[in-house]
Amino acid sequence: MSLRVALLGLLTYAGPASGYDLTKAFERSINYVWQAGHSQIYPELAKMAADGLITVEAQGTRGRKTYTITREGSDELRRWLTEHTPSGPVRSERALQAFLLPLLEPSDALTVLRRVEADATARLRELEELFASARDLGAEPGNVGDFALDLGIKNTRTTVAWARAAAETIEATTRTAGDGGTGAPSGE
C-alpha cells in the first residue's frame, strides 16, 4: 500500500507525470524513506489505473503514458494520511545487526559499529546538504518532504550517537574484562 500512496502523493504534488518522470522524482525524494525501482513502479501504476485511482491523461511515442490522479485517488491519499496508523515494527537490517552484535568478538563488533557510524555520518552530511540546498533555493519550511527530511536528519544523528555509545560500552567492557574486573588497565 505504501508504494501506491507514495505515487499518489507524487502525482498530487508534481502534477501529471509519466512512469519515467515518477521514477526519477521517486529517486530524488521519496527514495530516502521508501525504496522502489521502476520494476515496481510501472506495474503499480497499471494497477492504480485499473483501480480508478489514476488515469492516463495522454499517450505519447513509444507507449509513454502521462498519468494524473483522479478524485478517487485524491480521496484514497487523504484517507491514508488521516486515518492510517503506520505499522509498528519496522524491518531494519541495522536493528537486526544491533540485536545480534553481542554474538561477535569485541573487535569485530567494534568494526561493525565504526562502519555504521561512518555510513551514518556520510548519510547525515548528504541529508543536511539536501536541507541546505532547499533553503538556498528559497524553499520555505513545511514543503512536501521537509518533515520527512527533518525526521531523517534526526534519526541519522541518533544512529551516529548510538554507534559511538555502543562502541564505548564494548571498549569499556573489554578493558574491564581484560583487567580481571578490577577496573585497572590490563597489563598493570
Side-chain angles (χ1 to χ4, degrees):
M1 178 55 116
S2 295
L3 175 57
R4 178 171 285 209
V5 169
L7 292 169
L8 290 171
L10 281 176
L11 284 168
T12 299
Y13 177 69
S18 68
Y20 176 82
D21 296 333
L22 289 167
T23 299
K24 291 300 174 195
F26 206 97
E27 289 170 2
R28 290 187 314 269
S29 60
I30 294 174
N31 201 44
Y32 288 97
V33 295
W34 191 269
Q35 287 78 39
H38 72 278
S39 63
Q40 295 168 292
I41 291 173
Y42 281 92
E44 189 62 31
L45 289 170
K47 291 176 195 171
M48 291 166 63
D51 292 344
L53 302 175
I54 60 174
T55 187
V56 176
E57 180 179 273
Q59 194 156 346
T61 59
R62 296 186 301 166
R64 179 183 172 104
K65 297 175 184 174
T66 301
Y67 298 94
T68 189
I69 192 167
T70 63
R71 182 72 196 148
E72 292 82 7
S74 293
D75 291 344
E76 180 65 26
L77 176 61
R78 184 179 186 290
R79 187 173 23 262
W80 189 87
L81 286 168
T82 60
E83 298 174 12
H84 177 75
T85 301
S87 59
V90 176
R91 291 186 339 180
S92 164
E93 289 183 349
R94 179 163 291 137
L96 181 58
Q97 276 187 330
F99 184 83
L100 299 173
L101 206 56
L103 301 177
L104 294 174
E105 292 295 323
S107 62
D108 290 337
L110 288 170
T111 299
V112 169
L113 290 167
R114 288 186 185 109
R115 185 184 69 239
V116 168
E117 181 183 354
D119 292 347
T121 300
R123 176 77 167 165
L124 181 59
R125 257 192 314 275
E126 181 182 327
L127 293 173
E128 288 173 337
E129 287 171 7
L130 262 171
F131 180 81
S133 67
R135 295 304 165 260
D136 289 346
L137 294 173
E140 293 293 321
N143 286 317
V144 169
D146 278 359
F147 296 121
L149 182 57
D150 185 50
L151 178 63
I153 288 170
K154 288 176 178 165
N155 281 340
T156 306
R157 284 182 183 151
T158 299
T159 299
V160 170
W162 167 81
R164 287 178 184 157
E168 289 170 7
T169 299
I170 290 171
E171 288 168 342
T173 303
T174 303
R175 279 193 304 272
T176 302
D179 66 15
T182 65
S186 59
E188 290 187 281

